[in-house]
Coordinates of all heavy atoms in Angstrom, one line a residue:
M56 N 11.2 14.1 1.3 CA 10.0 13.4 2.1 C 10.6 12.0 2.7 O 11.2 11.3 2.1 CB 8.9 13.0 1.1 CG 7.7 12.3 1.8 SD 6.6 11.6 0.7 CE 6.0 13.0 -0.2
D57 N 10.4 11.9 4.0 CA 10.9 10.8 4.7 C 9.9 9.6 4.3 O 8.8 9.7 3.9 CB 11.2 10.9 6.1 CG 9.8 11.4 6.9 OD1 8.7 11.3 6.2 OD2 9.8 11.6 8.1
T58 N 10.4 8.3 4.7 CA 9.5 7.2 4.3 C 8.3 7.0 5.2 O 7.4 6.4 4.7 CB 10.3 5.9 4.4 OG1 11.0 5.9 5.7 CG2 11.5 5.9 3.3
S59 N 8.3 7.5 6.5 CA 7.1 7.4 7.2 C 5.9 8.3 6.5 O 4.8 7.8 6.4 CB 7.4 7.9 8.7 OG 7.6 9.2 8.7
T60 N 6.3 9.5 6.1 CA 5.3 10.3 5.4 C 4.8 9.7 4.2 O 3.7 9.6 3.9 CB 5.8 11.7 5.2 OG1 6.4 12.2 6.4 CG2 4.8 12.6 4.4
F61 N 5.8 9.1 3.4 CA 5.4 8.4 2.2 C 4.4 7.3 2.4 O 3.4 7.2 1.7 CB 6.7 8.0 1.5 CG 6.5 7.1 0.3 CD1 6.2 7.7 -1.1 CD2 6.4 5.7 0.3 CE1 5.9 7.0 -2.1 CE2 6.2 4.9 -0.9 CZ 5.9 5.5 -2.0
N62 N 4.7 6.5 3.4 CA 3.9 5.3 3.7 C 2.5 5.7 4.2 O 1.5 5.1 3.9 CB 4.6 4.3 4.7 CG 5.6 3.5 3.9 OD1 5.3 2.7 3.1 ND2 6.9 3.7 4.4
Y63 N 2.5 6.9 5.0 CA 1.2 7.4 5.4 C 0.3 7.7 4.2 O -0.9 7.5 4.1 CB 1.3 8.6 6.3 CG 1.5 8.3 7.7 CD1 2.6 8.9 8.5 CD2 0.7 7.5 8.5 CE1 2.9 8.6 9.8 CE2 1.0 7.3 9.9 CZ 1.9 7.8 10.4 OH 2.1 7.5 11.8
G64 N 1.0 8.3 3.1 CA 0.3 8.8 2.0 C -0.1 7.6 1.1 O -1.4 7.6 0.6
V65 N 0.7 6.6 1.0 CA 0.2 5.4 0.3 C -0.9 4.7 1.1 O -1.8 4.2 0.4 CB 1.4 4.4 0.1 CG1 1.0 3.0 -0.6 CG2 2.5 5.0 -0.8
G66 N -0.9 4.6 2.4 CA -1.9 4.0 3.1 C -3.3 4.7 2.9 O -4.4 4.2 2.7
A67 N -3.2 6.2 2.9 CA -4.4 6.9 2.7 C -4.9 6.7 1.3 O -6.2 6.5 1.0 CB -4.1 8.3 2.9
F68 N -4.1 6.6 0.3 CA -4.5 6.3 -1.1 C -5.2 5.0 -1.2 O -6.3 5.0 -1.8 CB -3.1 6.4 -2.0 CG -3.4 6.0 -3.4 CD1 -4.1 6.9 -4.3 CD2 -2.9 4.7 -3.9 CE1 -4.3 6.6 -5.5 CE2 -3.2 4.4 -5.2 CZ -3.8 5.2 -6.0
V69 N -4.6 4.0 -0.7 CA -5.1 2.7 -0.7 C -6.5 2.6 0.0 O -7.4 2.0 -0.5 CB -4.1 1.5 -0.2 CG1 -4.8 0.2 -0.2 CG2 -2.9 1.6 -1.2
A70 N -6.5 3.1 1.2 CA -7.7 3.2 2.0 C -8.9 4.0 1.3 O -10.0 3.5 1.2 CB -7.5 3.7 3.3
F71 N -8.6 5.0 0.6 CA -9.4 5.8 -0.2 C -9.9 5.0 -1.3 O -11.2 5.0 -1.7 CB -8.9 7.1 -0.6 CG -9.8 8.0 -1.3 CD1 -10.8 8.8 -0.8 CD2 -9.7 8.2 -2.7 CE1 -11.7 9.5 -1.4 CE2 -10.6 8.9 -3.4 CZ -11.6 9.6 -2.8
G72 N -9.1 4.3 -1.9 CA -9.5 3.4 -3.1 C -10.5 2.4 -2.7 O -11.5 2.1 -3.4
G73 N -10.2 1.8 -1.5 CA -11.2 0.8 -1.1 C -12.6 1.4 -0.7 O -13.6 0.8 -1.0
L74 N -12.4 2.5 -0.1 CA -13.8 3.2 0.1 C -14.6 3.6 -1.1 O -15.7 3.5 -1.3 CB -13.5 4.6 0.9 CG -14.6 5.5 1.3 CD1 -15.7 4.7 2.1 CD2 -14.3 6.8 1.9
M75 N -13.8 4.1 -2.1 CA -14.5 4.5 -3.4 C -15.0 3.2 -4.1 O -16.2 3.2 -4.6 CB -13.4 5.1 -4.5 CG -13.1 6.5 -4.0 SD -14.4 7.5 -3.6 CE -15.0 7.7 -5.4
G76 N -14.4 2.1 -4.0 CA -14.9 0.8 -4.5 C -16.1 0.4 -3.9 O -17.1 -0.2 -4.5
F77 N -16.2 0.7 -2.5 CA -17.5 0.3 -1.8 C -18.5 1.3 -2.2 O -19.6 0.7 -2.4 CB -17.1 0.4 -0.3 CG -18.4 0.1 0.6 CD1 -18.9 -1.1 0.7 CD2 -19.0 1.2 1.1 CE1 -20.1 -1.3 1.4 CE2 -20.2 1.0 2.1 CZ -20.7 -0.2 2.1
L78 N -18.2 2.6 -2.3 CA -19.3 3.5 -2.6 C -19.9 3.3 -4.0 O -21.0 3.6 -4.2 CB -18.7 4.9 -2.4 CG -18.5 5.3 -0.8 CD1 -17.9 6.7 -0.9 CD2 -19.7 5.2 0.0
K79 N -18.9 3.1 -5.0 CA -19.4 3.0 -6.4 C -20.1 1.6 -6.7 O -21.0 1.6 -7.5 CB -18.4 3.3 -7.3 CG -17.9 4.8 -7.3 CD -16.8 4.9 -8.4 CE -16.6 6.5 -8.5 NZ -16.2 6.9 -9.8
K80 N -19.4 0.6 -6.2 CA -19.9 -0.7 -6.6 C -20.5 -1.5 -5.5 O -20.8 -2.7 -5.6 CB -18.7 -1.6 -7.2 CG -18.1 -1.0 -8.4 CD -18.9 -1.1 -9.7 CE -18.3 -0.5 -10.8 NZ -18.9 -0.7 -12.1
K81 N -20.6 -1.0 -4.3 CA -21.1 -1.7 -3.2 C -20.2 -2.9 -2.8 O -20.8 -3.9 -2.4 CB -22.6 -2.0 -3.2 CG -23.5 -0.9 -3.6 CD -23.4 0.0 -2.4 CE -24.5 1.2 -2.6 NZ -24.1 2.4 -2.2
S82 N -18.9 -2.8 -3.0 CA -18.0 -3.9 -2.9 C -17.4 -3.8 -1.4 O -16.5 -3.1 -1.2 CB -16.8 -3.8 -3.9 OG -15.9 -4.8 -3.7
L83 N -18.0 -4.7 -0.7 CA -17.5 -4.9 0.7 C -16.0 -5.3 0.8 O -15.2 -4.8 1.6 CB -18.3 -5.8 1.6 CG -18.1 -5.8 3.2 CD1 -18.0 -4.3 3.7 CD2 -18.9 -6.7 3.8
P84 N -15.6 -6.3 -0.1 CA -14.2 -6.8 -0.1 C -13.2 -5.6 -0.4 O -12.2 -5.5 0.1 CB -14.2 -7.9 -1.2 CG -15.7 -8.4 -1.2 CD -16.5 -7.2 -1.0
S85 N -13.6 -4.7 -1.3 CA -12.8 -3.5 -1.6 C -12.7 -2.6 -0.4 O -11.4 -2.2 -0.1 CB -13.4 -2.7 -2.7 OG -13.4 -3.3 -3.9
L86 N -13.7 -2.5 0.3 CA -13.6 -1.6 1.6 C -12.7 -2.3 2.7 O -11.8 -1.6 3.2 CB -14.9 -1.5 2.2 CG -15.1 -0.6 3.4 CD1 -14.6 0.9 3.1 CD2 -16.6 -0.5 4.0
V87 N -12.9 -3.6 2.8 CA -12.1 -4.3 3.8 C -10.5 -4.5 3.4 O -9.7 -4.2 4.2 CB -12.7 -5.7 4.1 CG1 -11.8 -6.6 5.0 CG2 -14.1 -5.6 4.8
A88 N -10.3 -4.8 2.2 CA -9.1 -4.9 1.7 C -8.3 -3.6 1.6 O -7.1 -3.5 2.1 CB -9.0 -5.5 0.4
G89 N -8.9 -2.6 1.1 CA -8.3 -1.3 1.0 C -8.1 -0.6 2.3 O -7.1 -0.2 2.7
G90 N -9.1 -0.8 3.3 CA -9.0 -0.2 4.6 C -7.9 -1.0 5.4 O -7.2 -0.4 6.2
G91 N -7.9 -2.4 5.3 CA -7.0 -3.2 6.1 C -5.6 -2.8 5.5 O -4.6 -2.7 6.4
S92 N -5.3 -2.7 4.2 CA -4.0 -2.4 3.7 C -3.6 -1.0 4.1 O -2.4 -0.7 4.4 CB -4.0 -2.5 2.2 OG -4.3 -3.8 1.7
G93 N -4.4 -0.1 4.0 CA -4.1 1.3 4.4 C -3.7 1.3 5.9 O -2.8 2.1 6.2
L94 N -4.4 0.6 6.8 CA -4.0 0.5 8.2 C -2.7 -0.1 8.4 O -1.9 0.4 9.2 CB -5.2 -0.3 9.0 CG -6.4 0.5 9.3 CD1 -7.4 -0.5 10.0 CD2 -6.2 1.7 10.2
V95 N -2.4 -1.2 7.6 CA -1.0 -1.7 7.7 C 0.0 -0.7 7.2 O 1.1 -0.7 8.0 CB -0.9 -3.0 6.9 CG1 0.5 -3.6 6.8 CG2 -1.9 -4.1 7.4
Y96 N -0.2 -0.1 6.3 CA 0.8 1.0 5.8 C 0.8 2.2 6.9 O 2.1 2.6 7.2 CB 0.3 1.7 4.5 CG 0.8 1.0 3.2 CD1 0.1 0.3 2.3 CD2 2.1 1.0 2.9 CE1 0.4 -0.2 1.2 CE2 2.7 0.4 1.7 CZ 1.7 -0.2 0.9 OH 2.2 -0.9 -0.2
A97 N -0.2 2.5 7.5 CA -0.2 3.5 8.7 C 0.7 3.0 9.7 O 1.4 3.7 10.4 CB -1.7 3.9 9.1
L98 N 0.4 1.7 10.2 CA 1.2 1.0 11.2 C 2.7 0.9 10.8 O 3.5 1.4 11.7 CB 0.7 -0.4 11.4 CG 1.6 -1.3 12.3 CD1 1.5 -0.7 13.7 CD2 1.2 -2.8 12.3
A99 N 3.1 0.7 9.6 CA 4.4 0.8 9.2 C 5.0 2.0 9.3 O 6.1 2.2 9.7 CB 4.5 0.2 7.8
A100 N 4.2 3.1 8.9 CA 4.7 4.5 8.9 C 4.9 5.0 10.4 O 6.0 5.6 10.7 CB 3.8 5.4 8.2
Y101 N 4.0 4.5 11.2 CA 4.1 4.8 12.6 C 5.4 4.2 13.4 O 6.0 4.8 14.1 CB 2.9 4.4 13.4 CG 2.8 4.6 14.9 CD1 2.7 5.8 15.4 CD2 3.1 3.6 15.8 CE1 2.8 6.1 16.8 CE2 3.2 3.8 17.1 CZ 3.0 5.0 17.6 OH 3.0 5.1 19.1
R102 N 5.6 2.9 12.9 CA 6.9 2.3 13.4 C 8.2 2.9 12.9 O 9.1 2.9 13.5 CB 6.8 0.8 13.0 CG 5.6 0.0 13.6 CD 5.6 -0.1 15.1 NE 6.8 -1.1 15.5 CZ 7.1 -1.3 16.7 NH1 6.5 -0.6 17.7 NH2 8.1 -2.2 16.9
I103 N 8.1 3.3 11.6 CA 9.2 4.0 11.0 C 9.5 5.3 11.7 O 10.6 5.6 12.0 CB 9.0 4.2 9.5 CG1 9.0 2.9 8.8 CG2 10.0 5.1 9.0 CD1 8.6 2.9 7.4
Q104 N 8.4 6.0 12.0 CA 8.5 7.3 12.7 C 9.2 7.1 14.1 O 9.9 8.0 14.5 CB 7.2 7.9 12.7 CG 7.0 9.3 12.6 CD 5.6 9.8 12.5 OE1 4.7 9.1 12.9 NE2 5.4 11.1 12.1
G105 N 8.9 6.0 14.8 CA 9.3 5.7 16.1 C 10.6 5.2 15.9 O 11.2 4.7 17.0
E106 N 11.3 5.1 14.8 CA 12.6 4.4 14.7 C 12.7 3.0 15.0 O 13.7 2.5 15.4 CB 13.7 5.3 15.3 CG 13.7 6.7 14.8 CD 14.9 7.5 15.4 OE1 15.8 7.0 15.9 OE2 14.9 8.8 15.1
H107 N 11.5 2.2 14.8 CA 11.6 0.8 15.0 C 12.0 0.2 13.7 O 11.4 0.4 12.6 CB 10.2 0.4 15.6 CG 9.8 0.9 16.8 ND1 10.3 0.5 18.0 CD2 8.9 1.9 17.1 CE1 9.8 1.1 19.0 NE2 9.0 2.1 18.5
P108 N 12.9 -0.6 13.6 CA 13.4 -1.3 12.4 C 12.4 -2.1 11.7 O 12.4 -2.3 10.5 CB 14.7 -2.2 12.8 CG 14.5 -2.3 14.3 CD 13.8 -1.2 14.9
D109 N 11.4 -2.7 12.5 CA 10.4 -3.5 11.8 C 9.5 -2.8 10.9 O 8.7 -3.3 10.0 CB 9.6 -4.3 12.8 CG 8.8 -3.5 13.8 OD1 9.0 -2.3 13.9 OD2 7.9 -4.2 14.4
G110 N 9.4 -1.4 11.1 CA 8.4 -0.7 10.3 C 8.7 -0.8 8.7 O 7.7 -0.9 7.9
T111 N 9.9 -0.8 8.4 CA 10.3 -0.8 6.9 C 9.9 -2.2 6.5 O 9.4 -2.4 5.3 CB 11.7 -0.6 6.8 OG1 12.0 0.8 7.2 CG2 12.1 -0.4 5.2
Y112 N 10.1 -3.3 7.2 CA 9.8 -4.6 6.8 C 8.4 -4.8 6.6 O 7.9 -5.5 5.8 CB 10.4 -5.6 7.9 CG 11.9 -5.7 7.7 CD1 12.6 -5.1 8.7 CD2 12.5 -6.3 6.8 CE1 14.0 -5.2 8.7 CE2 14.0 -6.5 6.7 CZ 14.7 -5.8 7.8 OH 16.0 -5.8 7.6
I113 N 7.5 -4.2 7.6 CA 6.0 -4.3 7.4 C 5.6 -3.6 6.2 O 4.8 -4.2 5.4 CB 5.4 -3.7 8.7 CG1 5.7 -4.3 10.0 CG2 3.9 -3.4 8.4 CD1 5.3 -3.6 11.2
A114 N 6.2 -2.4 5.9 CA 5.8 -1.7 4.6 C 6.2 -2.5 3.3 O 5.5 -2.6 2.3 CB 6.5 -0.4 4.5
L115 N 7.4 -3.2 3.4 CA 7.9 -4.0 2.3 C 6.9 -5.2 2.1 O 6.6 -5.6 1.0 CB 9.4 -4.5 2.7 CG 10.5 -3.5 2.3 CD1 11.8 -4.1 2.9 CD2 10.5 -3.2 0.8
G116 N 6.5 -5.8 3.2 CA 5.6 -6.9 3.1 C 4.2 -6.6 2.4 O 3.8 -7.3 1.6
I117 N 3.7 -5.6 2.9 CA 2.4 -5.2 2.4 C 2.5 -4.7 1.0 O 1.6 -4.9 0.1 CB 1.6 -4.2 3.3 CG1 0.1 -4.0 2.9 CG2 2.2 -2.9 3.2 CD1 -0.7 -5.3 3.0
S118 N 3.5 -4.1 0.6 CA 3.8 -3.5 -0.7 C 4.0 -4.8 -1.7 O 3.5 -4.8 -2.7 CB 5.0 -2.7 -0.8 OG 4.9 -1.6 0.0
L119 N 4.7 -5.8 -1.2 CA 5.0 -7.0 -2.1 C 3.6 -7.7 -2.3 O 3.3 -8.0 -3.4 CB 6.0 -7.9 -1.5 CG 6.2 -9.1 -2.2 CD1 6.9 -8.8 -3.6 CD2 7.3 -10.1 -1.4
L120 N 3.0 -7.9 -1.2 CA 1.6 -8.6 -1.4 C 0.6 -7.8 -2.2 O 0.1 -8.4 -3.1 CB 1.0 -8.8 0.2 CG -0.4 -9.5 0.2 CD1 -0.2 -10.9 -0.2 CD2 -0.9 -9.3 1.5
L121 N 0.4 -6.6 -1.9 CA -0.5 -5.8 -2.7 C -0.1 -5.7 -4.2 O -1.0 -5.7 -5.1 CB -0.5 -4.4 -2.1 CG -1.8 -3.6 -2.2 CD1 -3.1 -4.3 -1.9 CD2 -1.7 -2.2 -1.5
S122 N 1.2 -5.4 -4.5 CA 1.6 -5.3 -5.8 C 1.4 -6.6 -6.6 O 0.9 -6.6 -7.7 CB 3.1 -4.8 -6.0 OG 3.9 -5.8 -5.4
A123 N 1.7 -7.8 -6.0 CA 1.5 -9.0 -6.6 C 0.0 -9.4 -7.0 O -0.4 -9.6 -8.0 CB 2.1 -10.1 -5.9
V124 N -0.8 -9.2 -5.9 CA -2.2 -9.6 -6.0 C -2.9 -8.6 -7.0 O -3.7 -9.0 -7.8 CB -2.9 -9.5 -4.5 CG1 -4.5 -9.6 -4.7 CG2 -2.4 -10.6 -3.6
M125 N -2.6 -7.3 -6.8 CA -3.4 -6.4 -7.6 C -2.9 -6.4 -9.2 O -3.7 -6.2 -10.1 CB -3.3 -4.9 -7.1 CG -4.0 -4.8 -5.7 SD -5.8 -5.4 -5.7 CE -6.5 -4.0 -6.4
A126 N -1.6 -6.7 -9.4 CA -1.1 -6.9 -10.7 C -1.8 -8.1 -11.4 O -2.3 -8.0 -12.5 CB 0.3 -7.1 -10.7
K127 N -1.9 -9.2 -10.7 CA -2.6 -10.4 -11.1 C -4.1 -10.0 -11.5 O -4.6 -10.5 -12.6 CB -2.6 -11.5 -10.1 CG -3.2 -12.8 -10.7 CD -2.8 -13.9 -9.5 CE -3.4 -15.3 -10.1 NZ -4.7 -15.5 -10.4
R128 N -4.7 -9.2 -10.7 CA -6.1 -8.9 -10.9 C -6.2 -7.9 -12.2 O -7.1 -8.1 -13.0 CB -6.8 -8.2 -9.7 CG -7.0 -9.1 -8.5 CD -7.9 -8.5 -7.5 NE -9.1 -8.2 -8.0 CZ -10.0 -7.4 -7.4 NH1 -9.8 -6.9 -6.3 NH2 -11.3 -7.4 -7.9
A129 N -5.2 -7.1 -12.3 CA -5.3 -6.1 -13.5 C -5.0 -7.1 -14.8 O -5.7 -6.7 -15.8 CB -4.3 -5.1 -13.3
L130 N -4.0 -7.9 -14.6 CA -3.8 -8.7 -15.8 C -5.0 -9.5 -16.4 O -5.4 -9.7 -17.4 CB -2.6 -9.6 -15.6 CG -1.3 -8.9 -15.6 CD1 -0.1 -9.8 -15.2 CD2 -1.0 -8.2 -17.0
N131 N -5.7 -10.2 -15.2 CA -6.9 -11.0 -15.6 C -8.0 -10.1 -16.0 O -8.8 -10.7 -16.9 CB -7.4 -11.7 -14.2 CG -6.3 -12.8 -13.9 OD1 -5.5 -13.2 -14.7 ND2 -6.4 -13.2 -12.7
A132 N -8.2 -9.0 -15.6 CA -9.4 -8.1 -16.1 C -8.9 -7.4 -17.4 O -9.8 -7.0 -18.1 CB -9.5 -7.1 -15.0
K133 N -7.7 -7.4 -17.9 CA -7.2 -6.8 -18.9 C -7.6 -5.3 -19.2 O -7.8 -4.7 -20.2 CB -7.8 -7.5 -20.2 CG -7.2 -8.9 -20.3 CD -7.6 -9.6 -21.6 CE -6.9 -10.9 -21.8 NZ -7.8 -12.1 -21.7
K134 N -7.5 -4.7 -17.9 CA -7.7 -3.3 -17.7 C -6.8 -2.8 -16.7 O -6.7 -3.4 -15.6 CB -9.0 -2.9 -17.7 CG -9.9 -3.3 -16.6 CD -11.4 -2.9 -16.6 CE -12.0 -3.2 -15.3 NZ -13.3 -2.6 -15.2
F135 N -6.4 -1.5 -16.8 CA -5.5 -0.8 -15.8 C -6.3 -0.4 -14.6 O -5.7 -0.6 -13.5 CB -4.8 0.3 -16.4 CG -3.9 1.0 -15.5 CD1 -2.6 0.3 -15.3 CD2 -4.1 2.2 -14.9 CE1 -1.6 0.9 -14.4 CE2 -3.1 2.8 -14.0 CZ -2.0 2.1 -13.8
M136 N -7.5 0.2 -14.8 CA -8.1 0.7 -13.4 C -9.1 -0.3 -12.9 O -9.8 -0.9 -13.6 CB -8.9 1.9 -13.9 CG -8.0 3.2 -14.2 SD -7.1 3.8 -12.8 CE -8.3 4.4 -11.9
P137 N -9.1 -0.4 -11.6 CA -8.4 0.2 -10.6 C -7.2 -0.6 -10.2 O -6.2 -0.1 -9.5 CB -9.3 0.5 -9.5 CG -10.3 -0.8 -9.6 CD -10.3 -1.0 -11.1
A138 N -7.2 -1.9 -10.5 CA -6.2 -2.8 -9.9 C -4.8 -2.5 -10.3 O -3.8 -2.5 -9.6 CB -6.5 -4.2 -10.2
G139 N -4.6 -2.0 -11.6 CA -3.4 -1.7 -12.1 C -2.8 -0.4 -11.4 O -1.6 -0.3 -11.2
L140 N -3.6 0.5 -11.1 CA -3.1 1.7 -10.4 C -2.8 1.3 -9.0 O -1.5 1.9 -8.5 CB -4.3 2.7 -10.4 CG -4.0 4.1 -9.7 CD1 -2.8 4.8 -10.5 CD2 -5.2 4.9 -9.6
V141 N -3.4 0.6 -8.3 CA -3.0 0.1 -7.0 C -1.7 -0.7 -7.0 O -0.8 -0.5 -6.2 CB -4.1 -0.6 -6.3 CG1 -3.6 -1.2 -4.9 CG2 -5.3 0.3 -6.1
A142 N -1.6 -1.6 -8.0 CA -0.4 -2.4 -8.2 C 0.7 -1.6 -8.5 O 1.9 -1.8 -7.9 CB -0.5 -3.5 -9.4
T143 N 0.7 -0.5 -9.2 CA 1.7 0.5 -9.5 C 2.2 1.2 -8.3 O 3.3 1.4 -8.0 CB 1.3 1.4 -10.7 OG1 1.0 0.7 -11.8 CG2 2.4 2.4 -11.1
A144 N 1.2 1.7 -7.6 CA 1.4 2.4 -6.2 C 2.2 1.5 -5.3 O 3.2 2.0 -4.7 CB 0.2 2.9 -5.7
A145 N 1.8 0.2 -5.2 CA 2.4 -0.6 -4.2 C 3.8 -1.1 -4.7 O 4.7 -1.2 -3.9 CB 1.5 -1.9 -4.1
A146 N 4.0 -1.1 -6.1 CA 5.4 -1.3 -6.6 C 6.4 -0.3 -6.3 O 7.5 -0.4 -6.0 CB 5.3 -1.7 -8.2
V147 N 5.7 1.0 -6.5 CA 6.6 2.3 -6.1 C 6.9 2.2 -4.7 O 8.1 2.5 -4.3 CB 5.9 3.5 -6.6 CG1 6.6 4.7 -6.1 CG2 5.8 3.6 -8.1
A148 N 6.0 1.9 -3.9 CA 6.2 1.8 -2.4 C 7.2 0.6 -2.0 O 8.1 0.8 -1.2 CB 4.9 1.4 -1.6
L149 N 7.2 -0.4 -2.8 CA 8.2 -1.6 -2.6 C 9.5 -0.9 -2.8 O 10.5 -1.2 -2.2 CB 7.8 -2.7 -3.6 CG 8.7 -3.9 -3.4 CD1 8.5 -4.5 -2.0 CD2 8.2 -4.9 -4.4
L150 N 9.6 -0.3 -3.9 CA 11.0 0.2 -4.4 C 11.5 1.3 -3.3 O 12.6 1.3 -2.9 CB 10.8 0.9 -5.8 CG 12.0 1.6 -6.4 CD1 13.1 0.5 -6.7 CD2 11.8 2.4 -7.7
V151 N 10.6 2.3 -2.9 CA 11.0 3.3 -2.0 C 11.4 2.7 -0.6 O 12.5 3.1 -0.2 CB 9.9 4.3 -1.8 CG1 10.1 5.2 -0.6 CG2 9.6 5.1 -3.1
N152 N 10.6 1.8 -0.2 CA 11.0 1.2 1.1 C 12.1 0.3 1.0 O 13.0 0.1 1.9 CB 9.9 0.4 1.6 CG 8.7 1.3 2.2 OD1 8.9 2.0 3.1 ND2 7.6 1.3 1.6
G153 N 12.3 -0.4 -0.1 CA 13.6 -1.2 -0.3 C 14.8 -0.4 -0.4 O 15.9 -0.7 0.3
I154 N 14.8 0.8 -1.0 CA 15.9 1.7 -1.1 C 16.2 2.2 0.4 O 17.3 2.3 0.7 CB 15.7 2.9 -2.0 CG1 15.8 2.4 -3.5 CG2 16.7 4.0 -1.9 CD1 15.3 3.3 -4.6
S155 N 15.1 2.5 1.1 CA 15.3 3.0 2.4 C 16.0 2.0 3.3 O 16.8 2.3 4.1 CB 13.9 3.4 3.0 OG 13.9 3.7 4.4
L156 N 15.6 0.8 3.2 CA 16.1 -0.3 4.0 C 17.6 -0.5 3.5 O 18.4 -0.7 4.5 CB 15.4 -1.8 3.8 CG 15.9 -2.9 4.6 CD1 15.6 -2.6 5.9 CD2 15.1 -4.0 4.1
R157 N 17.9 -0.4 2.3 CA 19.4 -0.6 1.9 C 20.2 0.6 2.5 O 21.3 0.4 2.8 CB 19.3 -0.6 0.4 CG 20.7 -0.8 -0.2 CD 20.7 -0.9 -1.8 NE 21.9 -0.6 -2.2 CZ 22.1 0.2 -3.3 NH1 21.0 0.7 -4.0 NH2 23.3 0.4 -3.8
N158 N 19.6 1.8 2.6 CA 20.4 2.9 3.0 C 20.5 3.1 4.7 O 21.2 3.9 5.0 CB 19.7 4.2 2.5 CG 20.0 4.4 1.0 OD1 20.9 3.7 0.4 ND2 19.2 5.1 0.4
E159 N 19.8 2.1 5.3 CA 19.9 2.2 6.7 C 21.2 1.7 7.3 O 21.9 1.0 6.7 CB 18.8 1.4 7.4 CG 17.4 2.0 7.2 CD 16.4 1.2 7.9 OE1 16.6 0.1 8.4 OE2 15.2 1.6 7.8

């Protein structure tokens, strides 16, 4: 699997999580943050697909931001779901995109 497909997948996962947070808890911040993060991942994937070097940097930036923010939320809540799951997915994305950048 190439990194553009991977980032499209992570973007869809994060956006879906934001939508579920909105539908279950009526959380507009979840919808906006999840949807926004998903769009940034999609933009990064699109840029990677077009062989633009900034795509990987965009993916790294959103992955770093999302993993840090959501890990802090998971630790403060003292429960894994849902913030811990998103933090884990973002950390994996950080690792995958970091390896991809190193191999360029």
